[in-house]
Amino acid sequence: MKIQAAVAPETGKPFQIEELELEDPRSDEILVRIVGTGLCHTDMLFKDHMPIPLPAVYGHEGAGVVEQVGENVSSLKPGDHVVLSYNSCGKCNTCLKGMPFYCQNFIGLNYGGARGDGSMPITRDGVPLYGCFFGQSSFATHSLANERNAVKVPEDIPLELLGPLGCGFLTGAGTVMNALKVRAGSSIAVYGTGAVGLSAVMGAKAAGCTVIIGVDIKENRLELARELGATHTINSAEKDPVGQIQAITGIGVDYSLETTAVPSVYRQAFESLEPTGECVLLGAPPIGTEVTFDMQSFLTGKKTRGVIEGDSIPQEFIPKMIELYRQGLFPFDKLVKSYPLEDINKAVEDSEKGVTIKPVIRFDS
Ligand SMILES: [Zn+2]
Ligand SMILES: [Zn+2]
């Protein structure tokens, strides 16, 4: 079928809207008419820094309506509202251990630019185009996904808003609730209050953290952090955040999150911990980025590790976030601003300037 898509033509160049051809779904795939797709930092990272050959179609926070299902698909049917998330194989050891977010085939299935078998379902004038980004490439009017990365969602919530639950919001809130499993009454510092950081702030509040410290260099984002549950905020362009956090807490926080992918910020996030505290890295740096820590600081039981997709299983966690939203405990709609497809480059610009926290590209049918 013919689709309209935002194509990343070459490194550093703006998206172009083009008409492309999309294959019919295979027996294990579903065809989704996309209603809205969040724009995530990872789309930009790949467009401008990572080695998927261009031109390519990105987009990995899609939400839409199932139009067609392959004959082996049993859990979804045409008309279902779905949120698309990351893809996983379901067969490797890590998937079998219940951790598809660290699937051993994660790179190929999400960043490979093609299906697992190397085939490419999107073509331009008969020539295959890189796609299948996170098993969806949803900067397009229609996407092919599969049962493992499509999550059925209730139909009474505006579908256009829900795409970022598949990646950005899943990452922030999931890290707090599923990876760190924060305890009620604990303290947490969130470095970087963009979409991921702010969803972590909301998740921390919903989970009962009583000291929630947002750290950023942009005042508008810190203001939003306070509105969404931060008990304290620190502008790290003006003040040393580690010293400030020690002043607020007496010794340091139980948990810290690094969402900026800046090595010096990661070190600050680690140094903000109290003994035995845990710091997690969520920011995705370009390959080869290195960071240094004072080895001595590990000898107080502090720990750190990276987290992908909030250690979250989409089918399990997305419905929970929707229920928290319904109850007013996870007001993610406050972060979202929608843009029509033709304004996707404006959405990128607004996101980079920090004017919009989470742009969603809207596909008006
Ligand atoms: Zn796997
Ligand atoms: Zn993402």
Side-chain angles (χ1 to χ4, degrees):
M1 68 181 298
K2 297 255 182 265
I3 61 168
Q4 289 267 315
V7 176
E10 51 185 298
T11 305
K13 291 277 165 63
F15 289 106
Q16 296 169 179
I17 312 302
E18 296 188 30
E19 188 175 274
L20 307 170
E21 185 76 28
L22 180 68
E23 271 180 17
D24 289 338
R26 289 185 173 178
S27 60
D28 60 344
E29 290 178 332
I30 60 171
L31 174 70
V32 179
R33 174 175 63 78
I34 300 294
V35 172
T37 303
L39 182 80
C40 175
H41 175 72
T42 309
D43 294 304
M44 299 299 101
L45 184 73
F46 273 80
K47 178 170 156 300
D48 296 332
H49 299 286
M50 299 293 239
I52 286 187
L54 297 176
V57 179
Y58 293 121
H60 67 285
E61 292 184 344
V65 181
V66 176
E67 285 206 330
Q68 228 182 303
V69 300
E71 70 227 39
N72 295 337
V73 173
S74 58
S75 64
L76 295 166
K77 59 180 190 314
D80 283 347
H81 286 199
V82 288
V83 167
L84 305 181
S85 190
Y86 67 89
N87 208 359
S88 59
C89 76
K91 298 186 176 87
C92 72
N93 271 347
T94 324
C95 281
L96 293 174
K97 281 193 279 186
M99 295 186 285
F101 29 92
Y102 302 116
C103 171
Q104 292 169 21
N105 296 301
F106 195 96
I107 292 175
L109 290 173
N110 292 284
Y111 315 139
R115 290 187 181 101
D117 67 2
S119 63
M120 294 153 78
I122 302 175
T123 51
R124 178 166 69 184
D125 302 327
V127 179
L129 218 68
Y130 287 90
C132 300
F133 193 56
F134 282 76
Q136 51 184 289
S137 284
S138 50
F139 286 153
T141 51
H142 293 80
S143 273
L144 289 181
N146 61 52
E147 276 180 307
R148 286 194 64 79
N149 75 325
V151 180
K152 189 169 167 3
V153 293
E155 291 174 22
D156 61 331
I157 300 204
L159 188 54
E160 172 191 314
L161 290 178
L162 300 185
L165 293 176
C167 181
F169 300 161
L170 179 93
T171 298
T175 296
V176 171
M177 295 178 167
N178 303 324
L180 291 169
K181 298 187 175 70
V182 302
R183 295 178 305 276
S186 58
S187 55
I188 186 166
V190 177
Y191 278 79
T193 53
V196 169
L198 289 170
S199 47
V201 166
M202 290 187 281
K205 183 171 158 80
C209 289
T210 45
V211 176
I212 303 169
I213 306 170
V215 183
D216 206 291
I217 53 173
K218 292 201 168 87
E219 265 314 319
N220 66 324
R221 305 211 296 196
L222 291 173
E223 200 180 308
L224 197 49
R226 288 192 291 274
E227 195 183 313
L228 296 171
T231 55
H232 304 76
T233 53
I234 301 166
N235 187 328
S236 52
E238 292 166 3
K239 289 182 176 156
D240 163 41
V242 177
Q244 292 289 310
I245 287 170
Q246 277 163 355
I248 293 165
T249 57
I251 180 155
V253 281
D254 293 300
Y255 310 102
S256 62
L257 271 74
E258 197 303 305
T259 71
T260 71
V262 177
S264 58
V265 176
Y266 184 17
R267 182 168 168 145
Q268 287 174 327
F270 184 69
E271 288 177 349
S272 304
L273 295 172
E274 66 168 32
T276 77
E278 182 167 4
C279 169
V280 288
L281 169 69
L282 311 186
I287 291 168
T289 306
E290 297 195 349
V291 61
T292 58
F293 292 106
D294 180 344
M295 283 168 67
Q296 192 53 242
S297 58
F298 286 93
L299 300 176
T300 56
K302 291 180 191 174
K303 40 198 173 293
T304 184
R305 68 172 176 110
V307 173
I308 291 284
E309 304 287 354
D311 284 6
S312 306
I313 295 171
Q315 284 77 359
E316 195 254 347
F317 194 58
I318 289 173
K320 283 188 182 169
M321 285 190 285
I322 291 175
E323 200 46 44
L324 287 167
Y325 167 75
R326 263 192 221 285
Q327 296 188 14
L329 295 166
F330 191 62
F332 61 80
D333 54 323
K334 292 192 176 155
L335 310 187
V336 172
K337 181 178 172 191
S338 75
Y339 296 75
L341 177 62
E342 55 270 26
D343 289 347
I344 187 169
N345 292 309
K346 168 83 172 132
V348 172
E349 195 187 314
D350 286 357
S351 163
E352 280 167 358
K353 279 194 205 146
V355 177
T356 301
I357 302 287
K358 173 55 78 177
V360 164
I361 308 306
R362 201 174 65 228
F363 298 85
D364 305 311
S365 51

